[in-house]
Structure formats: C-alpha cells, structure tokens
C-alpha cells in the first residue's frame, strides 16, 4: 500500500513547491519514519538550484511509524538517519567502514527520498535510535555537525596524536562542527583558529571559543599541528598546508576544488600528511550520542535558526545568504 502526502518539490532555480508525493509501506528490513526535523546542508545547493527528482534532505530525524517484516525496532522509536544505506556485507562494511561501502543501496535524500518530506522510508540498518533526553531537532546534530567533524578529527589522529593547536579553513556549518568537536575532543585549552571572509560567521564561531581570522591573513594561527579544510577551496587548502607544523596534517573535509603539491617540499621534508575525510562510520554514532547527551546545550547552539517545513523556501533563502549556523526545518511528524 502507499500513502499520499504533501512534500516539498525542488524544481530548480531556487524554487520549492509542495505537491502530492507517494510513500509505500515498509518492506522487509525497512522502517517508515514520520520525519520531525531535517538540517539544511551546503550539499543541498545543487538540488536547490538544479532541481531534484527525489525529495531532498540527508540530515533527518524522526519517529518510527511503521516497521517492516524482520525488523526489531519498536514503533514509536525516535532516531536519526545515517546518510549512506550501506550493504553490511562488503569488505568495507565488515570492517565497520560503512562510510566506504562498496555496494551501498542509496544515499538518502540524493538517490532516494529524504527528510524534507513528511515521511522517509529507510532500512533499519541505517536508522540510529536516540535516547529520551535528546530533543528531536538536536538529533540532527549527530550527523554532519558531530559525525562528519569527529570522523575528521579521528582521521587526523591516525598521523598526529599530539595535537596542541588547530586551524580550520571555513566557518560554515562543518567548520562550526569542527570547532565544537575540537573543543570537546582536544580540550577547551587547545587553541582553535578559524578563518572565513564572512565577519558574521567568524563572530558566531568565536562564540564557541574559536579564535577568528580573516581568510586573507591567517598568519596569526602560527604553525598548527593539524589543519582542517571545510571550504573546499584550493587556495584555502594550499594556505593551510603551508601553515601546518612539521609532522602536521591537512585533513580535507569539504568537497570541491583541487590541490597541487610539491612532493619533496610539501610532504617528504616536513613529513606532512594530507588525508581525505568522507562523512563518518555508523559505529561512531553511539560515542557522539553520549557527547550530545552530555553537551546538548553547547552543541545545539550550532543551530541558529529553526523553520517549520511550510517555510522551507524562506529557510533556504536565509541559509544560502551565508549568515547562519545550522538551519533546521521542523514538522510535527504526522501519523
């Protein structure tokens, strides 16, 4: 059976309309969620301007409305949706590298309907239950803000365990997530420098304890042990690599432009490391849930604006203007 409900349709050129959309009942191993929150992401930009054949939204949280055959999650369970519908059987998945699944079934919100609509059909394996103390909008922080950021910090730890200073290029939502997670994981006393061209973003990042720098002059950051690029810009990556200390690491988190290096001077002589960091592993979510539970007031401040889904157009206009933290679209979670 299917149910029909109004869902936002991204038609392109920054236009979002509401139209009837069909949602099937869950099949074996699947859950049908009543979506209650979805956070906006810069990755939504392409769908916002170019249109989408599916309902976008890849940072969703909601409540299980129906459970398919063979599932064990009770109806009424609240949780967040892991972006990658991983297979669970390939070499990567068997080693828990679910963010590198070799046979993933979907990218939720990109290839299959995501969380801006009233419902979302997911496999039980990429639904993560949350505890009662977590407000449902705040549960979206477990995804890109906490998950992607903490995974990048974990990648840095592979090559640089003795971090005494941090530099972040880009003070957008991921940069803010890196700021918060750096403070939680490295300690409040470890200086975290962050750069951007937006004075608003820098002021917002400073409220979380970051040391703000305009992107055209980052020399005050000194020689940090690890640098994270969340901007995706070649110039920002190049500047960060030039900045890091000997044995330092550049972790590229933001998709986008390229990076040209000289192997001898950039890598061999200073023993620099350059690593990519893609999303995060599903098995990292319990640790981040514990952090969110302990620091919910802090982490939730990354959300600067909340809009009801009826105002999703206004939410995107504000978000794309660049003077927000994380923006979350909410809905009641209809039955």
């Amino acid at each position: 059976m299917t149910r029909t409900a109004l869902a936002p349709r991204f038609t392109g050129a920054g236009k979002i309309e509401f139209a009837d959309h069909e949602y099937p009942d869950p099949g074996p191993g699947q859950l049908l969620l009543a979506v209650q929150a979805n956070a906006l992401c810069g990755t939504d930009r392409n769908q916002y301007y170019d249109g989408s054949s599916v309902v976008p939204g890849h940072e969703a949280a909601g409540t299980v409305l129906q459970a398919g055959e063979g599932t064990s999650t009770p109806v009424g369970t609240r949780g967040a949706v892991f972006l990658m519908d991983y297979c669970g059987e390939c070499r990567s998945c068997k080693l828990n590298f679910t963010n590198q699944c070799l046979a993933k079934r979907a990218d939720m919100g990109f290839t299959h309907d995501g969380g801006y609509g009233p419902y979302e059909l997911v496999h039980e394996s990429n639904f993560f239950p949350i505890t009662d103390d977590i407000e449902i909008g705040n549960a979206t922080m477990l995804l890109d803000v906490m998950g992607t950021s903490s995974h990048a910090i974990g990648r840095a730890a592979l090559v640089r365990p003795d971090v005494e200073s941090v530099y972040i290029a880009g003070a957008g939502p991921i940069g803010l997530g890196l700021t918060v997670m750096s403070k939680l994981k490295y300690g409040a006393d470890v200086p975290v420098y962050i750069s951007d061209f937006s004075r608003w973003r820098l002021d917002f990042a400073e409220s979380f304890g970051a040391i703000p720098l305009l992107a055209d002059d980052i020399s005050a950051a000194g020689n940090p042990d690890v640098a994270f690029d969340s901007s995706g810009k070649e110039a920002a990556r190049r500047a960060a690599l030039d900045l890091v200390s000997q044995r330092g690491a550049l972790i590229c988190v933001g998709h986008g432009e390229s990076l040209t290096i000289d192997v001898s001077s950039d890598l061999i002589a200073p023993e620099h490391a350059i690593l990519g960091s893609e999303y995060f592993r599903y098995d990292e979510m319990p640790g981040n849930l514990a952090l969110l539970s302990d620091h919910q007031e802090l982490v939730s401040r990354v959300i600067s604006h909340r809009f009801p889904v009826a105002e999703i157009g206004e939410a995107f206009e504000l978000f794309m203007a660049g003077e927000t933290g994380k923006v979350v679209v909410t809905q009641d979670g209809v039955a």
Side-chain angles (χ1 to χ4, degrees):
M1 295 180 62
T2 61
R3 64 179 69 207
T4 301
L6 284 176
R9 178 181 294 169
F10 287 51
T11 60
K15 296 181 180 178
I16 303 174
E17 302 172 349
F18 282 84
D20 284 341
H21 193 80
E22 291 189 346
Y23 292 92
D25 287 340
Q30 293 183 317
L31 305 172
L32 182 67
L33 308 182
V35 178
Q36 294 164 277
N38 196 104
L40 276 63
C41 177
T43 314
D44 296 331
R45 181 180 299 273
N46 290 342
Q47 292 165 300
Y48 182 60
Y49 289 115
D50 299 337
S52 176
S53 60
V54 301
V55 178
H58 61 276
E59 297 186 45
T63 300
V64 175
L65 190 63
Q66 285 182 261
E69 180 183 350
T71 59
S72 59
T73 304
V75 169
T77 302
R78 303 180 316 134
V81 179
F82 188 76
L83 162 65
M84 299 173 179
D85 188 0
Y86 58 91
C87 73
E89 299 295 332
C90 69
R91 179 184 180 188
S92 290
C93 287
K94 287 181 178 178
L95 293 171
N96 287 326
F97 295 110
T98 46
N99 62 324
Q100 295 295 326
C101 176
L102 302 174
K104 62 183 174 181
R105 294 169 291 207
D107 282 325
M108 305 307 299
F110 293 105
T111 63
H112 290 61
D113 290 336
Y116 291 130
Y119 305 107
E120 186 171 6
L121 187 66
V122 303
H123 278 100
E124 184 179 44
S125 54
N126 65 314
F127 175 75
F128 180 74
I130 60 172
T131 47
D132 291 341
D133 60 311
I134 305 299
E135 190 272 329
I136 197 68
N138 295 343
T140 64
M141 296 296 94
L142 290 168
L143 303 167
D144 281 11
V145 168
M146 298 184 75
T148 298
S149 299
S150 64
H151 183 73
I153 291 169
R155 294 283 288 162
L158 294 174
V159 293
R160 191 63 196 257
D162 58 322
V163 172
E164 294 182 355
S165 59
V166 174
Y167 168 69
I168 300 166
I174 294 297
L176 290 172
L178 285 162
T179 298
V180 172
M181 297 305 286
S182 292
K183 290 293 183 180
L184 292 178
K185 298 213 169 206
Y186 293 130
D189 294 335
V190 170
V192 175
Y193 298 88
I194 192 165
S195 69
D196 206 289
F197 288 107
S198 167
R199 186 73 254 179
W200 190 96
R201 285 182 166 184
L202 290 177
D203 289 344
F204 194 48
E206 188 175 17
S207 74
F208 292 93
I211 302 168
L213 303 171
L214 288 172
D216 54 3
D217 183 8
I218 59 174
S219 58
N223 299 114
D225 295 323
V226 62
F228 299 97
D229 173 57
S230 67
S231 73
K233 301 297 184 181
E234 181 171 7
R237 291 171 176 165
R238 181 67 255 179
L241 185 60
D242 290 339
L243 206 65
V244 293
S245 65
Q246 289 179 313
R247 297 186 297 110
L250 168 63
I251 313 300
C252 296
V253 187
H255 287 276
E257 298 173 4
S258 59
L259 173 64
T260 301
I261 64 169
D262 180 282
V263 172
S264 292
S265 60
D266 288 329
L267 293 184
I268 295 176
E271 291 195 342
H272 283 160
I274 302 173
L275 298 177
S277 184
E278 171 71 336
Y279 201 52
F280 60 98
R281 304 187 316 269
Y282 182 89
D283 71 344
E284 295 175 273
M285 295 190 79
N288 285 330
L289 177 61
L291 275 178
L292 180 58
S293 183
D294 289 342
H295 303 279
Q296 188 166 187
E297 189 278 331
L298 170 67
V299 176
S300 66
R301 284 203 294 110
V302 174
I303 304 172
S304 61
H305 299 79
R306 300 181 191 234
F307 287 84
V309 70
E311 299 175 13
I312 188 172
E314 292 90 334
F316 266 90
E317 287 179 11
L318 181 66
F319 183 66
M320 292 302 173
E323 292 194 353
T324 70
K326 205 64 169 170
V327 176
V328 172
V329 167
T330 63
Q331 46 195 321
D332 292 335
V334 294

